[in-house]
Amino acid sequence: MAAAVPTVPMLQDKLTNEIFSILENKFLFGYDDHANLSPNNYHHLSSHGKVRILSIDAGGSTDGILAAKTLLHFQSILRRKSGNPTAQIADFFDVVTGAGAGGILAGLLFTRGKEGGPMFTAEESLKFIVDNRRKLTNYSSSGIFSRTSSKAGKALDKVFGEMTLRDTVKAVLIPCYDMRSGAPFVFSRADALEMEGCDFRMAGVCGATVADRAMEVKSTDGRKKIMAVGGGLGMSNPTAAAITHVLNNKQEFPLCKGVEDLLVVSLGNGDLEYSHLISSSPPPLLKIAADGAADMVDQAVSMSFGQWRTSNYIRIQGNGVAAVGKREKRNMLSIVDDMLAQKNVESILFQGKKLVEFTNMEKVDMFVGELIKEQQRRNNSILPTVLLKHTTNNIYSPRSSSATTLSTLSSY
């Protein structure tokens, strides 16, 4: 009896299992299955390009301002080096993920605006975070909004209106913690395009990822309900989730096989100095737990990249910055500038952190060069690295239901 011929789904499952097996070994044991590759062989394997991921942590000690200011520097350097004075962050990344204040930044920078491009520039995003910092870090709902959270809800509604996950320009992943399931839940553009009941208004998504109390978020068709609290509780550093999404999403990232096919920028939001918090109240303890979880993700991800750690992965994080209180006299932006001037820190799993010779800003400048090289490679390549799905409905007309939305393929 002849052997059965493997079907396409069977082959895809086999490939996925192999990829996750390699990634798991790299996370746990630092396994490197490419150690015997020569530079020529590596160039051949990587000629199809790299998927570019931007990951932004939850609030941290600077409530999103460190990440927002870093992105402003990213945008400035991208414009200068690319020769395009109107270039935006979304032009040079394929995937964005953000938790807490990082999720709001992801929404501002990657939701489609009236002209078809991203809604906010990096300057406008930084201004929004600074102006609304107190509102957004106290966003909550228990059926009746407090005065502060009501202002935050209005601010998000004013910015995003009726825009939904389907109205984002690139792949977007924003986590929260679902009290009903007792597990993290990730709002995903890919799911919104593929499945009924998975499209959510961006205002609700951003509200959920910063919520400090449970709030109900409904899909646009009312089929799915999430009892959400902030993404910082369950996934303060969403980098690993984004990598997993890319490696497992063969429809949109068909040629990405492992970490060697990725360029990842992970932005922290300030590493607190805890020596003055000996008599800790619950909020500081939650921050400690969130920072610890974010560091562990950074260490595991950094180790998983193996020999590509310094070329394909960058982590920008303040190192030992004192918490900022309401009576802090120094300007928050000055504190953030100090963080960017610090020596960059690299994490090694189970071995802690080490300072490197470059500052955070110098690392940003070097990594921007890699992003531009990838963009130039794509401009001269006929083989698409990314196949993102897009809606065909008119994004400026009122939505009747998610069932009226279709999708097509376009290449990048």
Side-chain angles (χ1 to χ4, degrees):
M1 183 169 157
V5 177
T7 63
V8 172
M10 289 172 62
L11 292 173
Q12 289 178 337
D13 288 343
K14 183 175 183 295
L15 178 60
T16 299
N17 288 334
E18 289 176 354
I19 291 171
F20 276 99
S21 177
I22 292 172
L23 187 63
E24 180 182 49
N25 276 288
K26 286 182 176 181
F27 267 104
L28 296 178
F29 310 113
Y31 169 76
D32 189 355
D33 60 324
H34 298 288
N36 61 347
L37 288 178
S38 68
N40 290 335
N41 288 335
Y42 172 66
H43 176 75
H44 173 70
L45 290 173
S46 301
S47 60
H48 53 262
K50 298 179 177 68
V51 177
R52 305 161 300 182
I53 298 174
L54 172 62
S55 176
I56 314 172
D57 279 14
S61 60
T62 62
D63 297 328
I65 297 178
L66 173 60
K69 191 69 179 289
T70 304
L71 288 168
L72 178 57
H73 286 296
F74 250 104
Q75 179 183 272
S76 176
I77 299 170
L78 281 168
R79 288 178 173 180
R80 173 170 53 84
K81 288 192 172 184
S82 68
N84 180 1
T86 62
Q88 299 210 47
I89 297 296
D91 297 335
F92 290 86
F93 287 96
D94 308 304
V95 182
V96 65
T97 183
I104 293 179
L105 280 170
L108 295 174
L109 292 165
F110 285 79
T111 300
R112 196 182 309 276
K114 293 182 179 180
E115 303 300 323
M119 179 180 291
F120 271 32
T121 63
E123 296 99 330
E124 292 165 339
S125 296
L126 174 60
K127 185 177 187 304
F128 181 86
I129 293 295
V130 171
D131 291 347
N132 296 279
R133 176 177 171 238
R134 293 300 179 191
K135 300 175 187 176
L136 299 175
T137 53
N138 290 288
Y139 190 97
S140 62
S141 170
S142 57
I144 301 175
F145 283 106
S146 69
R147 181 179 178 184
T148 303
S149 60
S150 177
K151 291 180 179 179
K154 289 179 180 178
L156 293 172
D157 283 333
K158 183 177 180 180
V159 168
F160 293 108
E162 296 301 314
M163 305 298 274
T164 75
L165 284 167
R166 294 183 177 185
D167 297 310
T168 51
V169 296
K170 297 290 180 69
V172 172
L173 302 163
I174 298 177
C176 68
Y177 188 86
D178 183 12
M179 299 292 287
R180 287 198 174 103
S181 65
F185 178 84
V186 180
F187 297 100
S188 167
R189 177 185 187 275
D191 288 346
L193 290 170
E194 287 288 334
M195 296 180 284
E196 295 294 335
C198 289
D199 193 22
F200 294 81
R201 290 177 63 238
M202 287 303 297
V205 170
C206 291
T209 199
V210 296
D212 62 358
R213 298 181 194 173
M215 59 174 288
E216 187 174 76
V217 184
K218 296 180 181 179
S219 60
T220 53
D221 63 1
R223 293 187 183 187
K224 194 172 188 67
K225 298 178 182 178
I226 305 297
M227 189 57 68
V229 290
L233 293 178
M235 201 180 296
S236 57
N237 180 346
T239 308
I243 292 174
T244 301
H245 173 79
V246 171
L247 293 180
N248 199 38
N249 184 351
K250 293 304 170 187
Q251 290 186 338
E252 295 187 321
F253 312 102
L255 301 177
C256 186
K257 297 180 180 179
V259 294
E260 65 272 22
D261 298 323
L262 301 173
L263 285 175
V264 180
V265 176
S266 176
L267 301 182
N269 266 309
D271 191 9
L272 279 174
E273 173 61 58
Y274 297 114
S275 59
H276 63 295
L277 297 176
I278 302 301
S279 58
S280 298
S281 58
L285 289 177
L286 287 176
K287 284 183 178 292
I288 292 172
D291 281 356
D295 284 344
M296 284 299 294
V297 170
D298 170 39
Q299 291 174 26
V301 170
S302 178
M303 185 174 180
S304 77
F305 273 79
Q307 69 189 75
W308 292 281
R309 185 172 70 245
T310 58
S311 60
N312 291 28
Y313 175 72
I314 181 177
R315 171 76 169 171
I316 302 298
Q317 173 76 332
N319 183 30
V321 177
V324 180
K326 292 182 179 180
R327 297 183 179 180
E328 176 61 56
K329 295 181 179 180
R330 296 185 62 196
N331 183 283
M332 174 63 76
L333 292 176
S334 296
I335 295 174
V336 167
D337 286 335
D338 289 346
M339 290 183 183
L340 291 173
Q342 291 175 345
K343 293 289 187 181
N344 188 249
V345 175
E346 289 187 357
S347 295
I348 303 175
L349 192 62
F350 308 129
Q351 297 181 36
K353 304 176 181 179
K354 68 174 183 179
L355 291 173
V356 298
E357 59 179 309
F358 303 105
T359 67
N360 282 322
M361 271 306 304
E362 289 170 336
K363 291 283 282 189
V364 167
D365 190 275
M366 288 185 288
F367 210 82
V368 165
E370 296 301 315
L371 296 174
I372 291 177
K373 286 180 186 177
E374 172 58 21
Q375 188 73 13
Q376 292 171 342
R377 187 208 61 77
R378 294 186 189 188
N379 292 339
N380 298 314
S381 175
I382 61 173
L383 189 64
T385 302
V386 180
L387 294 170
L388 288 182
K389 293 187 175 181
H390 292 278
T391 57
T392 58
N393 64 309
N394 186 343
I395 63 173
Y396 308 116
S397 63
R399 298 173 180 276
S400 55
S401 74
S402 58
T404 63
T405 304
L406 303 175
S407 61
T408 57
L409 286 175
S410 64
S411 61
Y412 288 85

